[in-house]
Amino acid sequence: MKTIAWFSGGVSSFISIYLMNDQIDEIYFIDVKEQHPDTYRFKADCERVLGREFTTLKNATTHSAVEIIKKRRYINGPSGAPCTSELKRKVRQRWEQSQDDLLCYVWGYDSEEKHRAERLLQTTPEHEHVFPLIDAMLTKDEVHGLLERLGIKRPLMYELGFRNNNCVGCVKGGMGYWNMIRKHFPERFYEMATLEREVGATCIKGVYLDELDPERGRIEDEVMGECGILCEIAYSNVVG
């Protein structure tokens, strides 16, 4: 049995690894071009505290979400996001196909996400799974507090008020999220608005970004998960 952790660039992901560091055989990081550059600083800080390096994987053809969207001419919908499929799910699957060992995955679900952990156990029985944050009964706020005590600065996206350290301009965001992107990353906002018109598809159902009212949405009310291995593996088991 080989114990594997996938570092997403988020706080919960790292703390789950920190709690099980001595029991983890390998740690992987899937690189996507559109993530905030501060993610690499955060990754380096996490590696320093753990005393080990993470192995970086990426799509062999392109690691750009924008390029994937242009190629597929699809952004997001009932069948998921093509960037998630191409840049994360298929990268993980290719890695898994190269493995001969049984795998045990370390997950970053916190104590308020037990329902997600239970769903994962049901949908992915081919692997073993451990949930160190749930076992330690840690909430999301407590996880962030532990990171601070370790002397690691959070990724900048959290400091700006975003709830996850996803790509800058994640296609799964809602109105409140995209209006925050407009405020903090206007060039990225208008890049995606232009891309929507080019491919004839939208990030937000029924609303093009260039028509989005700047006052619409509250990011605090929007449910948006961390776009990492947690997100893509759950999606892949829903749609097959």
Side-chain angles (χ1 to χ4, degrees), residues 39-53:
T39 300
Y40 302 106
R41 186 275 311 163
F42 180 61
K43 172 177 172 287
D45 286 349
C46 293
E47 290 173 320
R48 172 179 52 80
V49 168
L50 293 174
R52 61 195 298 182
E53 294 184 0

Side-chain angles (χ1 to χ4, degrees), residues 51-106:
R52 61 195 298 182
E53 294 184 0
F54 305 163
T55 300
T56 297
L57 303 176
K58 64 175 66 174
N59 184 297
T61 305
T62 176
H63 69 304
S64 168
V66 168
E67 290 184 19
I68 293 296
I69 291 168
K70 286 182 178 180
K71 179 180 178 181
R72 296 276 295 273
R73 305 194 68 80
Y74 183 76
I75 295 180
N76 190 24
S79 61
C83 48
T84 296
S85 173
E86 296 293 331
L87 303 183
K88 295 185 177 179
R89 177 163 61 92
K90 290 184 179 180
V91 171
R92 171 187 60 84
Q93 287 176 335
R94 281 194 292 271
W95 174 86
E96 286 182 338
Q97 289 167 3
S98 71
Q99 302 301 302
D100 296 323
D101 300 295
L102 294 175
L103 300 175
C104 175
Y105 284 141
V106 178

Side-chain angles (χ1 to χ4, degrees), residues 178-212:
W178 275 105
N179 274 324
M180 282 192 63
I181 292 293
R182 189 202 313 251
K183 174 183 176 181
H184 294 291
F185 305 98
E187 292 184 2
R188 175 65 173 153
F189 179 88
Y190 290 109
E191 177 188 20
M192 290 301 294
T194 301
L195 181 60
E196 284 188 332
R197 292 296 183 178
E198 179 181 336
V199 303
T202 62
C203 298
I204 304 168
K205 183 178 180 180
V207 180
Y208 281 94
L209 291 176
D210 59 16
E211 297 176 339
L212 177 61

